[in-house]
Each structure stands twice: as structure tokens, then as C-alpha cells.
Amino acid sequence: MARFAVALFVALIAYVSAQTIKWDHPSVPAFGQFNRNRASPRNSSIALQPVDGAELLVGQRFDLSIEIDDASATPDASKVSATINDKDIKSYFGREFVKQDWTFSYSTDAAAAANGTKVKVNASRVSLRGVFFNATGTYNLVVSSGSSKLNATWVVRGYAGDKKAKNLVLFIGDGMAPSMISAARYLSRATIFGKFKDNFLAMETLGSIGKVSTNGYDSMLTDSANSAMAYNTGNKGAVNALGSYTDTSASNDDDPKLETLAEILRRERPNMCVGVVTTSEIQDATPAAVWAHTRARGDKANITSQALNGWKLRDNSNWPWDVKAVKPDVLLGGGGEFFVAPNSYVDKDGKQVNYQSFKDAGYTVVNKGSDLKKYNGNGPLLGIFHANHMETWLDRNVFTDNLKTVNSDPTGAKTFNDDQPGLVTMVQVAIKTMDSKCSEGWFLMAEAASVDKAMHPLDFDRALADLIELDAAVKYVADYGKNNSDNTAIIVTADHAQGYDVAGSIDLDLFSSAPSDPTGLNLNKRNAVGVYQNAGWPDAVVDENGLPTKFANARFRFLGSKVDSPGYTEDYRVIRNPQNTTNPLTRNPAITVPKNTTVSIPSKNITIDNLPIAVAVPNIAETSSGIDHPSSLGPADTSSVHTLQAVDIYCKLPGAYQFYCSRPMDNTEVFFIMAEILGLGKGDGSSTASVASVVLPSTVSTGALVGIIIGCIIGGLLLGAAIVYFLFRPKPDAKKEEYSEVAATEA
């Protein structure tokens, strides 16, 4: 057995050695917080996009960009030498370079940023727009500029065969960390003496589970935009960018684009439907990533236009981009502000893109939840139910008077809309509509946006209620699939994590009644904290219908918090009537005190005159008595941020494809899973792609495969030797054997 263990150890070492990316590889991101251009390898003046290691789908349109940056001279990118598999890159794609020049500035580190010190850089870029590959394989690129040289490798993937499922739903719980899923389960699912048995959440029982690394190429921390870009294009992005890599120019329009999954569907499977459902603005990062291409996720009027008209360069340049507009067959959520003047998009001819534009394109437009429920057509359908982000489940269903405090009417009227549908209703109507229109199936992206939007301001109750609502939508689709030939694939994941967790419980009755103590340390209130065995079990927050209506009735509540926060005071109660300062309505734990003003913090008995900078302080108007939490963020930050934790992915996929989700993966891999399930990646008919349907995950490199094979050979030889040894080894003396056993027993 010892030899067998050695064999396994050798095989493992060979595998791990082959897997490891060496720290001295030039494409390992440079250490530090600030950087001139994150698309450049370390110590290089060249930035190639797509970046080294990128993966593309056969036929997927993309822009190829080569940018040269120089702080001491004026570069000329037209003089670069660039080859792909030893062939001139322009000849390979049959395109001429588009050349641009600009300057930009950046701070070298945090100290320079704080002092406002920046380095000016000259940039020159050449690009090939709207190119694509017609064959799978490995493509090696070499780019040279003066004495600088860049080597990169791209992999183009494709899939043989037809669709593996008729329909596919991608559910996104925005910001949904694994710990939050656990918390929602403990609040909404009963146990038998601690055993959940088959009473886990619907998403947890879909069939397979894996882990997704959410970072972009620019940072270990991601936002919703570039994470959603990875799911929709198969490529890592940078913070705030949608459907595009990011260059250093000032324009939001000219960054190198990548065709999205929905755009590929319009080209390769035009008879399939595309649906987008969200509780945020439809222009927000996660839904917009289905169709949009922009460096700035906040470019919401343009994003609205792109849903209907596709990407267009606003300076009237005519760059190649033969990609059809997505024009979702169903588009439901908030964001009415960007369908009406003065915030709607105005094209180069002075024409607004508004509700009427969508009506002219054949859309039925609804602005009330009751009208959505009555809708019985086959689309296209546009439903916009809030001027901005839709309100959370708790305010739509429990604290409904709060809806009347907000000018939320999506038509531009200065009044409220208290008739907002929930996520489950929107998913139901979307599926019904697409079933009526598209006999060849559909793709639906459905997002529970306020899992994240409520978690940012530490409103844990509203976040977890929206997560429970998401799970109800997952159950609806799972049941729908069972009742419809089981031909609907389901993927549930998050775009990133929030650093929330639970360390115990709070007896809210004791906490609320405990008097303050003169030490300022809240010693009396802390007696209400229960940890380990004294944590016990929290009160259920769901009613007999499984709806989370009882948050406000709970005495024993989570001792929950985040790893990051502004300075705030926690009293663990439900915020029944939020201040009308947030969208959606949530708690508001901290406020900003402007520079040169005076601030008082009564709980600390502190007064500061003439603040040198703007500072965030606890919002005592909302919570004045509780446990004080110091800030772990920047001086003016009033809200918490995202964290780097890998997120769960739960899948219900057909047949053997179920195992695709049962592994750790980059977020880019989700795109390729969906592409294969939907039968994409065959090219345009001229493709020479001919590959097996099941391919190696991108997380397993060729080197790793070689390591596995070598390890197996070595392990096999050692195992064979061990077997021979045990079969033909000399027999031990029976008496000695007996003695040794007795001795061992006595010992």
C-alpha cells in the first residue's frame, strides 16, 4: 500500500506541476493597485486585445486592437509588425487597420492618486473591426513595435451537433454569495433536528454544483458589468465595461467589442427567442450585458438604444460590425427614466429613442404589473415598471405604503407606481410569451438584482427576501421543464459575491430593551448575542405559502454582518420605513458630510470643525442606538462593496452535460457551456470546425493533460510493481506474525 500511495502522490505532483501558471509569465497581472494599461503584459508598452489566453467561439465577431503606449515619445502603431500563425494579420483577416491616436493620464500608485499626481502618456492604436475565425484551433500571435515584442495565444472553440436543450434560462442572483444562499435556506426551510434532507432550496437541488471565479483581467475584484460580460462573451473584462475590452481612450464607443451570446443567437439561430427579465433598470449592468457594447455601464440612454438598434459609432465613422441588434422578444424591468426626455437617447439625426420607438418596431408596451399579468400576446413585449430600479420584494409585498413615497412612475409622471410585478410573474409571462412566438425555443436571462442592491447598504432583510423570491422563480422554471418534455436547461449563479455571513443570533427583545451603559461599549446589549450552541435557531420568516412575510415578526434574528462596511450603527431590526434617499428603497447606514463643515457624532461624544475632506458618518437619523461598527472602507464611502469569494453555480443540464458544472471554473466558461447547450459555434457554413461535442474544460490546459498522462503512466508502473511484490513476496514466519499481533494488541 505504501508503494501505491507513492504512485498516487507522484501522479498528483505531475498534474499539479503541469497546471501551475508560473509567476514570472509576462501575462500574470502586475502587482499593485494602479496600472497604466492592464491589457499590457508586464514591462511591455504593447496592449493586445483580445488578451493573451483569450478564448473565442467559432464565428464569434470581435474587434482586434493593438495599442502602443509611451510616456516619453509619440508612438505610431501603424508601424507595428503583427502576425497570426506566421501570417501577416491584415492579410489573414482581409482587413485594413483603423488607426487612432490620443493621450491619457494615470496615477502610478495610491499616494499619487491622493495628491492628484498623474503621468501623461501618448497612445497610438490600430485595430481590425468585426473579424472572426472560421475554424477551431490554437492561434499564436506575435506583435512587435520597435524593441518591444508581445507573444499571445488564443484558442477558438466550436461544437458539433445540434442543440442539447430547446430552451435555456440563466438566473443571476446579483451579489449572491454562497453564505447568503445558506442564510436564505435557514430562514425559509425547516429541518428535522437539524437535517434539511430534501428541503434544500430549489436552486441547490437542480442537479450539479460548481464554483465560479468572478474576477476580471484588470482586478481581483469585479463589478456586475465585466462579470456579466464574461457570461455573455466568454472573455474577461474590466470594471464598468459591457461587451467590450477597454482601451485608454476617452471615448466609450471605440473600445474593442465582442459579440454576445444573444447576438450570436440572432445570427446562427434567428428563429429562437431572446428574453431579458430583471428587477433593476433594464439598462443596468447585468441585463444590458446581453446586448450592449460600451466602456461605461452608466451610458444608459445609449444602452437603451442599443437594445433596439444595436451598436453604432456616434461620431459617424463607419467601422465594420455586421452584428444584428438583439431586439429582445421580451424585455421586462425598470428604467423608464431613459425612455422619456430629457434622459432618452438622441441619435445623430436628432431623433429620440423612446417608448414610441419600440412601439414603431412592433412592441407592446406595458407599465403596470396588472397589465403584464393580463398580457396574452406573442411579443415582442416591453414592460417597464419603475422610473429606475424596481422596489424590493418586502416593499412590493409587505411594506407596500413605502411605494407611495417614491416618484417611480415609468412614464415620466411625477408620481408613484405601486403596481410593480415580481420576478416570478415576469418570468412566467416571459416564458409564456416566448413559447407562443418561438417554436424553436428561447434563451432567457433573469436577474434578481436587489440581492446585491440591498446588500450594499447593509439591508440584509431585503436582500435575503429577494434571494428567496429568486428561488421561487427557479422552482417555477424547474417545474415548467418537468411538465414540458424536460427540455429546458437551467443555470443559476451570481455575477460576484458580497462579503456577508452569519456568526450567531440576536435575541431582539433583549437587545432592544437593554439600557445603554456608561462605557459606550454596549455591554448590556451584547448580552443578547448567542454564538455556537447558544446561537440556537432563527425564527422562520416565511408564511404558510412560503413567502418571506415575517421578517418584522422575528425575535431571534441573524447576527449578520459584512466583512466591509462604512461606519454605522447596527440594531438588527427590520427597516420598515426607509428614508426616501435610496433606489431601491433600503436602509441608509451612513451619510456623507461635505468638506469644510462641522460634524457631530453623539455616540462618540465627538465634534469636528471644518472637515478637511468629505467624510462618511453613521446615519443617526435612521439608527441611533445599537452596536457601533467602524468603517473599513475609504473616508467618504457610505456603502459596502463586492468581495472576491468564488460564487456557486447550480445547473440542470441534459444527460452527460450535467457534469459540466461540477467543477471550479472561470466565469468565462459559463458562456461556452451555454453556447454548446444552445448548439452554437458551428461558424457560418464555411467553418472547418469539426470537434467532439464534449471538450476539455478551459481550466485543464494541454500541459495539464500531458501531466495527467505522465502521472498515470508512472502511477501504473508503480502500482504494477506493488502488485507483483505483494503476490510474490516471501511469506512471514507464522509464529512471529502471531507474536507481533499479540504484542500490538497488548500495547
Side-chain angles (χ1 to χ4, degrees), residues 113-143:
N115 294 328
T117 304
K118 293 188 175 184
V119 176
K120 181 180 178 181
V121 181
N122 302 304
S124 183
R125 192 258 297 282
V126 289
S127 58
L128 299 174
R129 301 283 170 165
V131 297
F132 60 95
F133 290 101
N134 256 331
T136 59
T138 299
Y139 294 83
N140 297 307
L141 295 93
V142 180
V143 180

Side-chain angles (χ1 to χ4, degrees), residues 588-620:
N588 189 23
I591 58 174
T592 301
V593 178
K595 179 181 178 180
N596 296 326
T597 57
T598 298
V599 59
S600 296
I601 307 176
S603 65
K604 301 293 185 183
N605 196 27
I606 293 175
T607 299
I608 303 173
D609 294 321
N610 297 320
L611 286 171
I613 59 173
V615 174
V617 298
N619 183 7
I620 60 174

Side-chain angles (χ1 to χ4, degrees), residues 83-422:
T83 62
I84 184 165
N85 286 356
D86 299 322
K87 185 174 182 179
D88 177 75
I89 204 163
K90 292 185 291 183
S91 300
Y92 187 93
F93 288 110
R95 293 274 171 85
E96 290 299 317
F97 280 143
V98 175
K99 184 175 181 290
Q100 298 168 276
D101 300 297
W102 62 80
T103 61
F104 68 96
S105 300
Y106 79 104
S107 297
T108 56
D109 56 26
N115 294 328
T117 304
K118 293 188 175 184
V119 176
K120 181 180 178 181
V121 181
N122 302 304
S124 183
R125 192 258 297 282
V126 289
S127 58
L128 299 174
R129 301 283 170 165
V131 297
F132 60 95
F133 290 101
N134 256 331
T136 59
T138 299
Y139 294 83
N140 297 307
L141 295 93
V142 180
V143 180
S144 299
S145 174
S147 60
S148 297
K149 184 177 180 180
L150 179 151
N151 292 282
T153 300
W154 297 341
V155 174
V156 177
R157 298 167 64 171
Y159 306 102
D162 206 346
K163 293 166 61 178
K164 312 306 182 294
K166 181 180 180 182
N167 313 311
L168 190 151
V169 183
L170 173 64
F171 281 107
I172 299 293
D174 202 309
M176 185 174 67
S179 54
M180 295 167 63
I181 296 170
S182 295
R185 179 175 4 99
Y186 279 97
L187 289 176
S188 64
R189 299 298 177 102
T191 71
I192 300 296
F193 280 105
K195 294 184 69 172
F196 286 99
K197 296 189 175 182
D198 58 355
N199 205 27
F200 284 79
L201 297 181
M203 67 179 74
E204 295 178 294
T205 59
L206 284 176
S208 63
I209 177 174
K211 286 288 184 182
V212 176
S213 179
T214 62
N215 60 279
Y217 71 82
D218 62 330
S219 171
M220 60 183 173
L221 272 300
T222 189
D223 83 329
S224 295
N226 55 323
S227 183
M229 169 180 158
Y231 291 153
N232 283 277
T233 70
N235 280 252
K236 293 278 188 181
V239 168
N240 288 327
L242 292 166
S244 302
Y245 278 99
T246 56
D247 58 32
T248 59
S249 74
S251 171
N252 293 335
D253 292 346
D254 66 351
D255 302 84
K257 304 178 297 300
L258 294 133
E259 192 175 22
T260 70
L261 184 83
E263 290 172 328
I264 297 170
L265 279 170
R266 289 303 190 218
R267 175 168 51 78
E268 292 194 11
R269 295 196 174 275
N271 294 323
M272 283 188 68
C273 277
V274 174
V276 178
V277 167
T278 181
T279 54
S280 71
E281 297 168 338
I282 60 98
Q283 304 88 354
D284 203 30
T286 303
V290 175
W291 68 80
H293 304 279
T294 175
R295 173 66 179 85
R297 58 178 287 181
D299 195 3
K300 294 183 178 181
N302 182 30
I303 289 169
T304 305
S305 175
Q306 287 191 35
L308 185 64
N309 302 311
W311 175 87
K312 287 180 172 57
L313 196 61
R314 282 177 280 191
D315 69 357
N316 297 328
S317 298
N318 187 25
W319 291 355
W321 187 247
D322 60 335
V323 174
K324 295 180 180 179
V326 171
K327 294 182 180 178
D329 299 278
V330 179
L331 182 55
L332 306 177
E337 175 184 356
F338 303 101
F339 286 88
V340 295
N343 295 316
S344 56
Y345 184 82
V346 180
D347 67 17
K348 61 184 179 181
D349 299 318
K351 184 179 179 181
Q352 283 193 12
V353 178
N354 50 26
Y355 284 122
Q356 188 60 48
S357 306
F358 281 78
K359 291 178 181 178
D360 292 343
Y363 280 81
T364 297
V365 177
V366 296
N367 297 118
K368 299 285 186 181
S370 53
D371 291 333
L372 180 68
K373 289 180 180 179
K374 292 185 289 187
Y375 180 76
N376 200 33
N378 61 0
L381 173 64
L382 175 66
I384 304 297
F385 309 104
H386 196 294
N388 301 110
H389 304 305
M390 295 174 65
E391 301 303 336
T392 64
W393 192 93
L394 276 180
D395 292 305
R396 283 185 275 113
N397 295 276
V398 180
F399 308 128
T400 55
D401 286 346
N402 292 337
L403 300 180
K404 299 177 182 179
T405 67
V406 182
N407 285 333
S408 58
D409 188 275
T411 65
K414 298 300 181 182
T415 187
F416 61 86
N417 179 24
D418 59 355
D419 188 0
Q420 300 175 35

